[in-house]
Amino acid sequence: EPEVTQTPSHQVTQMGQEVILRCVPISNHLYFYWYRQILGQKVEFLVSFYNNEISEKSEIFDDQFSVERPDGSNFTLKIRSTKLEDSAMYFCASIVGLAGGQETQYFGPGTRLLVL
Amino acid sequence: KNEVEQSPQNLTAQEGEFITINCSYSVGISALHWLQQHPGGGIVSLFMLSSGKKKHGRLIATINIQEKHSSLHITASHPRDSAVYICAATYNTDKLIFGTGTRLQVFP
């Protein structure tokens, strides 16, 4: 069965450093998402991406964050200058995107980011 | 504001018990989703429903549109069902609005 993959599974970085989290969505999917979950808190939406553009972003997704689909398979989340509060599990998800809000999302296994 | 509320936050059960987790949401959803988060953190979609009831194995999800309420039931619970169960909603876009999750522990 097709699955969403994410790399790395864990990342430790120093405050102020740039990190890039990578995702490979399911191949025929058109909409991609990043969510994050701070330890002990609920999962929060960061950004959605369709047709090489951001379609929606949350208040969390400020200028320190960017997303890109650099080729036909990868979908990346970049944090330019990490802060301690960026420590979280980051999930990528994808959907085909044709069912108007009524579609199962497929999640990757997550990248656990720790900022020291 | 679009919100999703879940109860209880924590639930313990003996193997074999019938389990119910509740979710309420604000008006205007496109669909209600139930997901399972494993101890390692991975998230798996269990159900997506906009009306009625769905069943998969020992799991049953129901939704009452008028009351803006959904329930996830687990029949004949087993220790391997131990996980966090999360209710989430989509409104006029496909982004998921998550509830806080219910941590279930089933003891043998």
Side-chain angles (χ1 to χ4, degrees), chain A residues 40-59:
Chain A
Q41 297 186 22
K42 64 182 178 181
V43 180
E44 302 171 287
F45 167 76
L46 290 179
V47 65
S48 59
F49 191 85
Y50 168 71
N51 198 26
N52 278 319
E53 289 184 344
I54 290 174
S55 51
E56 189 174 359
K57 62 182 180 178
S58 72
E59 292 173 355

Side-chain angles (χ1 to χ4, degrees), chain A residues 33 35 37 56 91 101-102 105, chain B residues 37 41 45 90 94-96:
Chain A
Y33 303 84
Y35 296 91
Q37 185 178 33
E56 189 174 359
F91 293 101
Q102 299 191 6
Q105 289 199 13
Chain B
Q37 186 167 31
S45 291
T90 47
D94 284 303
K95 75 178 185 200
L96 287 169

Side-chain angles (χ1 to χ4, degrees), chain A:
Chain A
E1 186 176 322
E3 57 181 21
V4 178
T5 59
Q6 287 186 243
T7 54
S9 57
H10 293 79
Q11 173 109 36
V12 181
T13 190
Q14 294 291 324
M15 192 168 57
Q17 294 295 303
E18 174 182 288
V19 295
I20 298 176
L21 310 183
R22 290 184 169 79
C23 168
V24 179
I26 294 172
S27 62
N28 65 331
H29 286 191
L30 303 176
Y31 282 79
F32 316 121
Y33 303 84
W34 284 102
Y35 296 91
R36 80 170 185 191
Q37 185 178 33
I38 294 170
L39 190 63
Q41 297 186 22
K42 64 182 178 181
V43 180
E44 302 171 287
F45 167 76
L46 290 179
V47 65
S48 59
F49 191 85
Y50 168 71
N51 198 26
N52 278 319
E53 289 184 344
I54 290 174
S55 51
E56 189 174 359
K57 62 182 180 178
S58 72
E59 292 173 355
I60 304 166
F61 195 89
D62 62 21
D63 292 344
Q64 293 298 314
F65 292 89
S66 62
V67 288
E68 193 178 33
R69 188 156 161 83
D71 54 43
S73 59
N74 288 282
F75 176 51
T76 62
L77 174 69
K78 183 193 290 186
I79 310 175
R80 264 181 266 284
S81 177
T82 50
K83 304 172 191 154
L84 296 176
E85 54 265 35
D86 294 327
S87 295
M89 181 79 111
Y90 288 80
F91 293 101
C92 174
S94 69
I95 63 172
V96 176
L98 302 175
Q102 299 191 6
E103 196 170 333
T104 296
Q105 289 199 13
Y106 292 85
F107 285 82
T111 293
R112 191 173 297 280
L113 175 67
L114 179 60
V115 182
L116 302 176

Side-chain angles (χ1 to χ4, degrees), chain B residues 37-106:
Chain B
Q37 186 167 31
H38 302 297
I43 295 174
V44 175
S45 291
L46 298 174
F47 295 104
M48 190 270 302
L49 65 166
S50 53
S51 64
K53 175 178 166 178
K54 286 191 177 179
K55 185 175 190 289
H56 182 68
R58 294 179 295 106
L59 272 58
I60 303 166
T62 64
I63 189 167
N64 184 318
I65 302 296
Q66 285 74 28
E67 294 187 6
K68 302 192 290 292
H69 180 269
S70 177
S71 293
L72 176 69
H73 305 286
I74 305 175
T75 61
S77 59
H78 190 276
R80 66 174 174 267
D81 297 326
S82 299
V84 176
Y85 292 85
I86 305 173
C87 170
T90 47
Y91 287 85
N92 53 0
T93 68
D94 284 303
K95 75 178 185 200
L96 287 169
I97 306 294
F98 286 79
T100 51
T102 294
R103 185 174 300 277
L104 171 66
Q105 287 187 290
V106 182

